[in-house]
């Protein structure tokens, strides 16, 4: 096990890039002592820790044509674009069983990043297990505003971790990880743009009682771009090794095209493979 941090950005279906990288790490039997997953990154983190190669890809693409799994019917009837009963119940319990015993043997620390809707602050929830109510931590981390309900954990309400800490490299460094592997889902040269006015209006209406939510979205571009600058400094200081897409992908945040998803997964695997020797040198493997 590498004594260092693994930081996994979110990005919806763009997280298939991360899934490819993580499968490569599994093939090379590389594990980290500290892992921070955001949104889709948190979900894929669990299959990586349980050692279920290919599972993150399979559960991302196998059920997209199921009417009630992902789409408007689910959003209108449940308030969630992705049907949580299927995604966090039927899939891990029956359709593609999650290996709880293997996950719970992990000797490091895994965290799902979430956003407290009352304060607008990020929280880093330790995920020692994915059984029972622990699954709510994953749901919270991946609950996007407008297309997912807020999730209660220990009486508090949470939304997607990417709202408050999209790339938790600072948290990992502050926790004592002098070396970190950071997997981004945005391509080289990416600069986040301001949120469209119509979307901000919808957020203000939906979260009138939770002003921190829409305020976080209002200046999300500024904070994200500042995080990229901080990450760049960490790279130069030798505290971060970054793997990211080299070019903009055809894959959208919500994408049901299996070819797009397969290509992005393959790109993640290939990019990790290309960086393997440098990664070995960086971590002294």
């Amino acid at each position: 096990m590498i004594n260092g941090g693994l930081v996994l950005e979110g990005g919806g279906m763009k997280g298939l890039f991360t899934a490819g990288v993580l499968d490569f790490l599994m093939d090379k039997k590389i594990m980290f002592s500290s892992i921070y997953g955001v949104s889709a990154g948190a979900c894929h983190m669990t299959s990586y820790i349980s050692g279920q190669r290919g599972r993150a890809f399979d559960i991302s693409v196998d059920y997209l044509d199921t009417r009630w799994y992902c789409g408007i019917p689910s959003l209108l009837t449940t308030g969630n674009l992705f049907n949580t009963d299927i995604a966090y119940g039927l899939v891990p319990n029956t359709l593609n069983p999650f290996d709880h015993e293997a996950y719970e043997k992990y000797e490091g620390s895994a965290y799902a990043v979430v956003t407290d809707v009352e304060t607008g602050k990020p929280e880093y929830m330790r995920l020692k297990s994915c059984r029972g109510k622990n699954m709510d931590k994953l749901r919270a981390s991946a609950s996007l505003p407008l297309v997912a309900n807020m999730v209660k954990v220990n009486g508090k309400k949470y939304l997607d971790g990417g709202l408050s800490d999209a790339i938790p490299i600072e948290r990992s460094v502050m926790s004592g990880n002098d070396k970190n592997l950071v997997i981004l889902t945005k391509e080289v040269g990416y600069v986040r743009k301001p949120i469209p006015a119509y979307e901000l209006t919808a957020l203000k209406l939906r979260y009138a009682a939770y002003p921190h939510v829409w305020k976080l979205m209002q200046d999300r571009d500024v904070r994200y771009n500042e995080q990229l600058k901080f990450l760049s400094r960490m790279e130069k200081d030798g505290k971060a090794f970054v793997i990211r897409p080299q070019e903009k992908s055809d894959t959208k945040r919500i994408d049901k095209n299996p070819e797009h998803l397969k290509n992005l997964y393959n790109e993640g695997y290939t990019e990790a493979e290309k960086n393997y020797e440098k990664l070995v040198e960086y971590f002294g493997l």
Side-chain angles (χ1 to χ4, degrees):
M1 182 180 290
I2 292 176
N3 185 23
L6 176 61
V7 177
L8 309 175
E9 183 184 16
M13 292 304 192
K14 292 180 181 292
L16 265 298
F17 179 87
T18 301
V21 176
L22 294 179
D23 275 1
F24 178 82
L25 295 179
M26 275 191 263
D27 287 346
K28 295 299 181 180
K29 302 187 186 307
I30 297 175
M31 180 57 67
F32 292 80
S33 61
S34 183
I35 308 175
Y36 295 86
V38 181
S39 197
C43 294
H44 296 330
M45 169 184 77
T46 60
S47 293
Y48 167 64
I49 292 174
S50 67
Q52 292 176 271
R53 189 192 188 285
R55 184 176 184 274
F57 176 83
D58 291 341
I59 64 176
S60 296
V61 302
D62 285 356
Y63 315 109
L64 290 176
D65 290 335
T66 303
R67 175 176 171 80
W68 296 104
Y69 176 61
C70 173
I72 299 302
S74 175
L75 182 63
L76 293 177
T77 56
T78 70
N80 296 296
L81 185 66
F82 283 86
N83 188 300
T84 56
D85 288 339
I86 298 176
Y88 299 98
L90 184 62
V91 171
N93 294 333
T94 304
L95 300 180
N96 195 322
F98 182 70
D99 191 339
H100 292 282
E101 291 185 2
Y103 182 93
E104 290 162 6
K105 290 178 181 177
Y106 172 58
E107 296 179 353
S109 301
Y111 302 90
V113 185
V114 299
T115 300
D116 184 329
V117 299
E118 296 283 358
T119 66
K121 301 295 184 182
E123 291 187 19
Y124 308 89
M125 295 188 169
R126 181 81 180 272
L127 205 61
K128 294 182 179 180
S129 167
C130 292
R131 299 179 194 267
K133 291 188 177 298
N134 284 295
M135 192 65 81
D136 290 340
K137 298 175 183 178
L138 275 182
R139 284 182 52 218
S141 185
S143 292
L144 290 166
L146 296 180
V147 294
N149 295 318
M150 291 181 281
V151 179
K152 276 190 176 183
V153 180
N154 297 326
K156 297 171 66 176
K157 296 178 181 178
Y158 297 95
L159 278 173
D160 194 284
L163 283 174
S164 54
D165 195 356
I167 311 171
I169 176 62
E170 184 175 2
R171 175 72 178 192
S172 187
V173 171
M174 293 293 288
S175 297
N177 294 313
D178 291 328
K179 290 192 174 184
N180 299 271
L181 173 59
V182 181
I183 303 176
L184 301 181
T185 54
K186 311 298 190 298
E187 69 277 4
V188 172
Y190 176 85
V191 177
R192 189 181 286 282
K193 298 179 181 179
I195 187 174
Y198 71 87
E199 190 173 342
L200 183 58
T201 298
L203 286 161
K204 287 181 178 180
L205 292 172
R206 173 74 178 272
Y207 301 104
Y210 304 96
H212 285 292
V213 173
W214 62 262
K215 287 179 180 178
L216 282 171
M217 290 293 288
Q218 185 176 36
D219 65 355
R220 182 178 62 162
D221 59 311
V222 175
R223 289 180 293 103
Y224 184 85
N225 294 332
E226 284 297 321
Q227 280 193 309
L228 288 179
K229 291 178 182 178
F230 178 81
L231 178 59
S232 181
R233 292 197 296 273
M234 292 299 98
E235 280 189 278
K236 291 177 181 177
D237 291 343
K239 293 187 176 181
F241 187 103
V242 181
I243 295 179
R244 70 186 103 190
Q246 294 302 298
E247 298 180 355
K248 186 175 181 180
S249 169
D250 292 330
T251 306
K252 300 178 179 61
R253 191 175 185 86
I254 304 298
D255 198 322
K256 291 190 175 186
N257 186 319
E259 195 65 25
H260 287 174
L261 302 176
K262 183 177 181 180
N263 289 342
L264 190 57
Y265 168 85
N266 288 336
E267 182 184 358
Y269 192 96
T270 301
E271 199 61 32
E273 193 171 34
K274 287 179 182 177
N275 281 278
Y276 178 61
E277 290 186 6
K278 293 179 181 178
L279 196 65
V280 167
E281 182 180 357
Y282 175 74
F283 284 106
L285 300 179

